[in-house]
Amino acid sequence: MDTEKLITVTSPLLPSLDDFNALLKEIWDSKWITNNGRFHQQLERELADYLKVPYLSLFTNGTLPLITALQALRVTGEVITTPYSFVATTHSLWWNGIKPVFVDIDPANCGIDPEKIEAAITPKTTAIMPVHCYGKPCDTAAIQAIADKYGLKVIYDAAHAFGVEVDGESILNAGDISTLSFHATKVYNTIEGGAMVMHDEKTKQRIDYLKNFGFAGETTVVAPGINSKMDEMRAAYGLLNLRQVDAAIEARGRVARRYREALRDVEGVRFFDDIPGVRHNYSYFPVFIDAEKFGKTRDQLYFEMRDANVLGRRYFYPLISEFSTYRNLPSATRENLPEAYKLADSVICLPMHHALTDADIDRVLKHFGK
Ligand SMILES: *Cc1c(COP(=O)(O)O)cnc(C)c1O
């Protein structure tokens, strides 16, 4: 049994090596390997088209656009955010000297609960940083209404939400800025990479300066920028992956449908169904275990699967608010975050990627008595 092939929670979408080599040859011949080269410009255009967003700026990973967005919008003081995410969300606040204020989540979509935001606003609050967790759309209308009422900025960490649309509109158009990650583990990857989505040309210009040390010309530096440029190799790789990402999302959708069919009648297992009108990207397949009804705890299931070479991941456990940097914050308590704690203690993300076979899916489902 445990000699069986390892089934990982994800597997990178890789372009054909021959196609990539052909583009590498072009880059070598041009000797233009970074600094807003031809492939960089082409990928920005094609991604903006594909994602149905007006302006997009490429980054070298998905953390720096978060950090840079906060700089660009001059966010200070306190920012309201979710503890149920990858640590980079809150780290971006810390790197800007901003105090994170954690608000509990809504178990219906695992995003920040808009009904609990207002109580966390203080005179120091300047922004809200929600996460479209697992690519499930936040209640963007409710969040915007609160932001408008109190004059707050909204920066969405949309690292999970590549290609997600609601009624034909990109979820990335919500808020003031959205950020994406193109890390190898994500639905769409450029090995390492990321992007920022903005609404107007002026912001795009400013962001392009900020990700290149603040240079606005050969001898002009307009702001204390950072270096977060994507190189030509990864931009070319990204162009090739963009041609196959729809097929990858379709393949993921098939895996999700098989999981749902099998798990629908299993006691003590909650999972998400598709929402009508939403184009999902199936970036993750989280299930929530009710130990009493299921007959096993989440951790028993996790280790039992691991012993059989089937790797789930406990995303997001522990909560960000439990890490040493953040756990002494006033908002980091279990009393303040009951739903987040409940989900963190019950969640396991099942293997989910484009290359899972029927036999792989069967091996996962065996652990649910299927
Ligand atoms: C992956 C991820 C990031 C960070 O992206 P990197 O490209 O790895 O820097 C940020 N936020 C969330 C929610 C993520 O899942």
Side-chain angles (χ1 to χ4, degrees), residues 128-150:
I128 308 171
M129 184 178 273
V131 177
H132 301 295
C133 194
Y134 310 127
K136 312 283 166 210
C138 289
D139 187 344
T140 55
I143 292 169
Q144 196 59 52
I146 297 165
D148 291 345
K149 183 169 163 194
Y150 291 91

Side-chain angles (χ1 to χ4, degrees), residues 61-63 66 85-86 88-89 131 157 159-160 181-183 186 192-193 284:
N61 60 47
T63 301
L66 285 169
S85 179
F86 182 62
T89 312
V131 177
D157 180 343
H160 300 175
S181 166
F182 304 151
H183 184 256
K186 308 294 208 264
E192 294 271 357
Y284 300 87

